[in-house]
Amino acid sequence: MSIPDTDLQPDDPSKLPPARRRRANRWLVPPDLSERSAFLDELGHRTTPTFDYYLFSFIAGVIMGVGFLMDEPSLLVLGALVAPLMSPVLGLSFGTVMGSARFFTRNFLGLLIGGLLAFWGGSMAGALTFFWNPSSMVQVRVFTQLSWTNFIVLAVGVVLTALAAVHSERKPSMPSVAVAFELYLPLAAAGFGLSAHIPHLWPDGLVIFAVYLAWAAILGALTLALMGFRPSNLFGYSISGALVLLGIVMLIALGGASAIVTSKLGLPTAIPTATFTATPVPTNTLTPTITPSQAPPTPSEVPTITPSPLPSSTPTISPTPLPVFAYINATSGNPPGARLRKDPNGDVIRTYLNNTLVEILPDTEETSGYVWVKVRIVKDNEVGWILRNLLLLATPSPNW
């Protein structure tokens, strides 16, 4: 007996059973297999990275690096606007739900190449610090730290990008700006820190990028799953679980380390104390002498001279002057802070924010009308020079 062919969904939805009618109404994409296959092929083509994607990734990295060099947030926003459509991120999500290892790998490699170009663009701007020392570098440190605000912006951008890609034939340019802002800024900051020789910037930026990328793929795949897409094979479920596990582990690890460093839990607090050094005072030793008139009458009699005991020396304790402390108190920058340099007006060692406690050392030097003071940063024992007008003297207290 032959069974006549039937359509997966009749043209008249009223002919469907109630359960299938409710399920069909919940689909946000065409449920017909042929239409669904063509739809996925079109989305796959649109999410494949092109030459323009790589070119504008490099240009965006350069603009963001210049923004870090000049400490201008407006240039960072301009770099995100110039950045290309973050289609490979959406491609990772589609590769997950479709269970295509080749499609997932192709978009992942394209995303890595684009990220490497943004990293390179930021490093080119960081190399300019050898010729021009910026007055402040606050923004570059902001985007190498985990921020829940940035995480929320990334999540909203990924969800809106996925929704726009499915429901509209136009490219989701506006939501993609938020994704590029959160993914490319840590990469550009990492390249900037590597070429400018600023400690901790480039590894922190790469870790932040990895965390945000993992969660972008997870949220994109979850959005597509809620829209009716499901992994079609074991690879899709495996890569989904791996991404979720990776994102959770990296988020917890980075968040825990940040909490320990920020609140200084379990870390010893440096307490300066006055030390006393005993300085021995030398005393003169009296040596008895014999004059000719005191000579013995006969050579056989030789007087025996017994030296008298000398008074023992008493050490005198000379107290060392108490150290002088001050706080960094700059009026410019966002947030305000000061740069610690190796020499007066020399290379920048590190930037410290306001209210950082420093110990003022005796050395001072005047260069080009500015007075530089040699200081020691109390919390990490770093020694360098800071402008005197950026310091506010503090009165030491016994519990420091």
Side-chain angles (χ1 to χ4, degrees):
M1 183 178 65
S2 61
I3 300 176
D5 296 335
T6 57
D7 293 333
L8 295 178
Q9 180 179 355
D11 294 334
D12 188 3
S14 61
K15 298 180 180 180
L16 289 174
R20 292 188 60 188
R21 190 185 308 118
R22 289 193 300 268
R23 184 171 58 185
N25 291 332
R26 290 197 297 265
W27 283 81
L28 301 179
V29 296
D32 182 74
L33 290 180
S34 59
E35 295 180 8
R36 186 174 173 83
S37 178
F39 181 76
L40 291 177
D41 289 341
E42 174 63 21
L43 284 179
H45 177 73
R46 289 164 57 185
T47 56
T48 301
T50 61
F51 175 77
D52 292 342
Y53 170 78
Y54 301 122
L55 176 62
F56 285 99
S57 293
F58 174 73
I59 297 175
V62 173
I63 296 176
M64 291 175 179
V66 174
F68 290 137
L69 183 66
M70 302 181 65
D71 205 28
E72 285 292 339
S74 57
L75 291 178
L76 304 181
V77 176
L78 176 62
L81 292 174
V82 174
L85 181 69
M86 301 303 292
S87 56
V89 178
L90 191 59
L92 293 180
S93 302
F94 274 110
T96 301
V97 298
M98 289 189 299
S100 175
R102 185 178 64 177
F103 188 74
F104 181 89
T105 304
R106 182 177 62 186
N107 283 275
F108 182 71
L109 292 178
L111 184 62
L112 288 184
I113 295 174
L116 181 61
L117 292 173
F119 180 90
W120 184 27
S123 65
M124 292 180 63
L128 297 178
T129 56
F130 292 98
F131 308 98
W132 175 50
N133 289 326
S135 58
S136 174
M137 288 187 295
V138 178
Q139 296 297 325
V140 70
R141 298 185 183 278
V142 170
F143 289 97
T144 54
Q145 299 176 1
L146 184 63
S147 170
W148 288 108
T149 304
N150 291 335
F151 185 82
I152 293 174
V153 172
L154 174 69
V156 173
V158 170
V159 172
L160 293 180
T161 301
L163 291 174
V166 172
H167 287 290
S168 175
E169 295 182 356
R170 296 180 299 175
K171 294 183 178 180
S173 301
M174 291 305 297
S176 178
V177 173
V179 181
F181 187 85
E182 300 300 343
L183 290 182
Y184 275 2
L185 277 176
L187 282 176
F192 184 91
L194 182 62
S195 59
H197 298 289
I198 302 177
H200 311 299
L201 278 187
W202 73 268
D204 291 352
L206 293 180
V207 171
I208 294 297
F209 168 75
V211 173
Y212 286 170
L213 177 60
W215 276 100
I218 294 170
L219 294 173
L222 181 61
T223 303
L224 294 175
L226 294 176
M227 297 170 65
F229 296 93
R230 297 291 188 276
S232 58
N233 53 29
L234 181 60
F235 174 80
Y237 287 102
S238 300
I239 195 64
S240 300
L243 287 174
V244 172
L245 182 61
L246 176 64
I248 293 175
V249 169
M250 295 183 69
L251 192 63
I252 293 176
L254 191 61
S258 176
I260 292 175
V261 174
T262 303
S263 59
K264 298 181 179 180
L265 297 177
L267 299 179
T269 304
I271 302 177
T273 56
T275 58
F276 298 91
T277 304
T279 304
V281 178
T283 57
N284 297 325
T285 303
L286 300 178
T287 303
T289 58
I290 302 176
T291 61
S293 61
Q294 297 174 343
T298 59
S300 59
E301 297 180 3
V302 179
T304 302
I305 302 175
T306 303
S308 60
L310 298 177
S312 60
S313 61
T314 302
T316 302
I317 299 176
S318 300
T320 304
L322 289 174
V324 179
F325 294 92
Y327 288 104
I328 293 179
N329 186 31
T331 58
S332 62
N334 186 19
R339 293 169 293 162
L340 183 71
R341 299 177 180 268
K342 293 182 180 179
D343 301 300
N345 201 22
D347 296 336
V348 176
I349 300 176
R350 191 171 180 182
T351 301
Y352 292 92
L353 300 178
N354 278 1
N355 298 324
T356 300
L357 183 65
V358 302
E359 178 185 354
I360 299 179
L361 302 180
D363 298 335
T364 59
E365 183 173 333
E366 183 175 356
T367 303
S368 301
Y370 294 95
V371 179
W372 296 85
V373 181
K374 191 172 185 179
V375 298
R376 179 183 67 86
I377 306 299
V378 174
K379 67 178 181 180
D380 55 13
N381 243 1
E382 192 75 47
V383 177
W385 296 78
I386 291 181
L387 287 172
R388 187 175 66 182
N389 58 356
L390 300 180
L391 299 176
L392 177 65
L393 288 179
T395 303
S397 59
N399 60 347
W400 280 3

